[in-house]
Amino acid sequence: MRLTLELAERGLMGGELPIGAIVVMKSDVIAEAYCSDKQRSMLAHPELLVLSTVDRKHPTLHERRQMTLYTNLEPCLMCLGAAMSFCAGQIVYGADSPADGAATKLSQVSFGDATYPEYKMPTIVSGVLKDESRVLFQAFIEKSTDGLLVNFARGVLRADSDNRNTIDSFSRRSKP
């Protein structure tokens, strides 16, 4: 998870939102990305970039289930959907994203059935190095001018994860 923060800091130094993502399999980092193109593409999310990189290597379903996507910010609906379609086994993230965080949005939805049991919610682990991630968002706000992304970053800082709804439809655990 510390690597995601280092990657996020690289993006921050380039004036981008401080979000980093990696995919790990058997303790090996097999893909990494950070925000470096938000000014030109709102779809250039680091989570999508790392999943696309790994997907081009054509891993088996078994290998995909062993992979963990790490990101310092709760994945949005688009990125969580991509992780589900990729059949990732686990997602670990730091700070909550109240504006578009998928964990809250999908808390009442069930996935997977007898027709396609592989399509299921990855195990979700939240709050890992949350405070360190929030510090990066504060730095982004301080060095940026007002706008859509600054407002988004302010929302991340306003998040009070202790008061968010409990997520019952999938595993949501906090780790130090």
Side-chain angles (χ1 to χ4, degrees):
M1 190 58 152
R2 292 220 181 269
L3 178 56
T4 66
L5 292 169
E6 291 171 17
L7 293 166
E9 193 166 6
R10 280 193 226 167
L12 176 64
M13 287 192 261
E16 300 285 351
L17 277 172
I19 305 170
I22 61 173
V23 172
V24 174
M25 182 174 171
K26 297 180 181 176
S27 61
D28 292 326
V29 175
I30 56 177
E32 62 181 50
Y34 58 92
C35 281
S36 61
D37 202 23
K38 285 281 187 190
Q39 303 304 325
R40 292 184 293 268
S41 173
M42 294 300 285
L43 298 178
H45 294 202
E47 299 88 347
L48 290 179
L49 298 174
V50 295
L51 291 171
S52 292
T53 297
V54 176
D55 193 50
R56 286 191 294 275
K57 298 176 184 180
H58 306 290
T60 65
L61 178 60
H62 177 73
E63 290 169 329
R64 290 168 188 258
R65 285 280 179 231
Q66 293 180 354
M67 292 181 195
T68 300
L69 168 65
Y70 289 86
T71 180
N72 65 302
L73 185 67
E74 180 181 10
C76 69
L77 290 166
M78 176 177 65
C79 292
L80 181 64
M84 289 175 64
S85 293
F86 179 83
C87 298
Q90 183 175 42
I91 297 173
V92 177
Y93 73 87
D96 293 324
S97 181
D100 67 351
T104 301
K105 306 289 188 284
L106 295 180
S107 65
Q108 303 303 315
V109 179
S110 61
F111 295 93
D113 62 16
T115 326
Y116 189 52
E118 294 82 12
Y119 195 70
K120 62 182 181 180
M121 185 70 70
T123 300
I124 306 288
V125 179
S126 65
V128 178
L129 301 178
K130 173 179 67 174
D131 293 336
E132 292 87 337
S133 185
R134 292 169 55 87
V135 165
L136 292 174
F137 280 92
Q138 180 63 48
F140 175 78
I141 292 167
E142 291 169 2
K143 73 181 278 187
S144 302
T145 58
D146 279 343
L148 176 69
L149 297 180
V150 172
N151 289 338
F152 177 84
R154 285 186 182 122
V156 170
L157 294 180
R158 280 192 304 268
D160 182 5
S161 60
D162 294 336
N163 292 328
R164 290 181 73 192
N165 294 331
T166 303
I167 308 302
D168 294 324
S169 64
F170 58 91
S171 172
R172 183 179 171 95
R173 302 167 296 201
S174 292
K175 288 190 174 181

